[in-house]
Amino acid sequence: LSGGNSESRGALVVLEGLDRSGKTSQSSRLLSYLEGLGHSAELWRFPDRSTDVGQMISSYLSNKSQLDDHMIHLLFSANRWEKRSLMETKLKTGTTLIVDRYSYSGVAFSSAKGLGVEWCKAPEVGLLSPDLILYLDIQPEKATERGGYGGERYEQLEFQKKVSQCYQVLHDASWKIVDACQPMKDIEKQLQELVLECVMTCQKGKPPAN
Ligand code: DGP
Ligand code: NA
Ligand code: NA
């Protein structure tokens, strides 16, 4: 059974973690894995820098523009909202989405600047809820050792320490925490098992969280 079954839907799988935690390379490995098994899957990432809003975000991240903390928070959120209906269509028609960062980055990075957590969460309400949240767990000090940061606005140890603390406050028992300091192959294996189980459950028609 595949996309033709109206009960069958794709899974919304989100990867979260600090900068340099390995989300991006693990996301593309997951995509190859699912495709290799014959599943319909796509790799998405937020911020999606290809849109007009995404370009404003990109310019802010590369320090080419300065924006009020609240405003950039809302732009990141808008960037998720502008993809919401396409996201819903893909999931409904049976495509699994592996998403590199989502609302949790929004809340963790902005609350790390001192904005209130509840204020940060508000614009995210109504976006689709993930079926699975994978957190690639790494100490901020360890992350900095990984070939250095690319020089974007948030890629600084002191700030990443705050983001790490904010993620600790955010996550609940449903998140799957994966130790990002294990050998790459071991991380890959653990992620594959978690994602495959989730994909199979969604295929069987488990109702979406919202
Ligand atoms: P990436 O393209 O995954 O390297 O993300 C770019 C940077 O933006 C990274 O430091 C994480 C941060 N970021 C991602 N999403 C959000 C968000 O919604 N709000 C804020 N404030 N920062 C975010
Ligand atoms: Na980054
Ligand atoms: Na990334």
Side-chain angles (χ1 to χ4, degrees):
L1 292 180
S2 62
N5 180 348
S6 63
E7 296 286 305
S8 164
R9 65 180 185 88
L12 179 53
V13 176
V14 167
L15 278 87
E16 287 284 354
L18 297 181
D19 286 294
R20 321 259 340 135
S21 57
K23 292 179 311 313
T24 305
S25 38
Q26 291 295 344
S27 305
S28 45
R29 282 156 184 257
L30 277 171
L31 179 70
S32 315
Y33 171 70
L34 291 176
E35 286 178 339
L37 293 175
H39 292 284
S40 166
E42 287 183 14
L43 178 53
W44 284 29
R45 72 179 307 161
F46 291 108
D48 176 342
R49 303 187 191 212
S50 70
T51 68
D52 289 346
V53 170
Q55 280 169 30
M56 290 177 73
I57 294 170
S58 188
S59 150
Y60 171 82
L61 288 172
S62 56
N63 292 304
K64 291 196 189 95
S65 64
Q66 308 303 323
L67 295 172
D68 175 83
D69 290 342
H70 301 81
M71 170 148 183
I72 186 64
H73 181 80
L74 295 173
L75 289 178
F76 272 110
S77 184
N79 187 231
R80 289 183 278 275
W81 276 101
E82 65 184 331
K83 305 306 287 275
R84 187 194 181 284
S85 69
L86 182 60
M87 186 179 251
E88 189 169 49
T89 304
K90 295 274 179 187
L91 294 169
K92 275 187 177 158
T93 53
T95 298
T96 284
L97 302 178
I98 304 292
V99 183
D100 183 354
R101 294 192 182 284
Y102 198 53
S103 300
Y104 314 94
S105 287
V107 179
F109 280 75
S110 289
S111 63
K113 297 174 177 175
L115 301 188
V117 172
E118 293 311 315
W119 190 90
C120 291
K121 284 182 177 173
E124 307 297 317
V125 174
L127 291 173
L128 302 178
S129 293
D131 295 294
L132 178 62
I133 304 168
L134 300 164
Y135 184 74
L136 289 189
D137 191 24
I138 189 169
Q139 289 182 329
E141 292 81 0
K142 283 267 160 55
T144 50
E145 291 165 13
R146 294 188 163 180
Y149 288 137
E152 284 203 323
R153 185 181 286 265
Y154 297 141
E155 297 176 346
Q156 294 176 25
L157 179 57
E158 288 313 308
F159 186 68
Q160 297 280 326
K161 283 184 187 169
K162 288 185 193 150
V163 174
S164 174
Q165 285 166 4
C166 292
Y167 269 126
Q168 303 317 310
V169 174
L170 267 188
H171 77 74
D172 63 32
S174 72
W175 289 36
K176 302 296 178 191
I177 315 291
V178 174
D179 178 359
C181 290
Q182 304 172 90
M184 195 107 156
K185 278 277 158 204
D186 296 349
I187 300 170
E188 190 177 352
K189 189 93 213 313
Q190 286 164 31
L191 295 177
Q192 285 176 353
E193 281 170 15
L194 291 163
V195 169
L196 187 59
E197 189 194 347
C198 176
V199 166
M200 300 310 284
T201 307
C202 291
Q203 245 179 25
K204 284 178 200 143
K206 176 185 162 262
N210 69 22

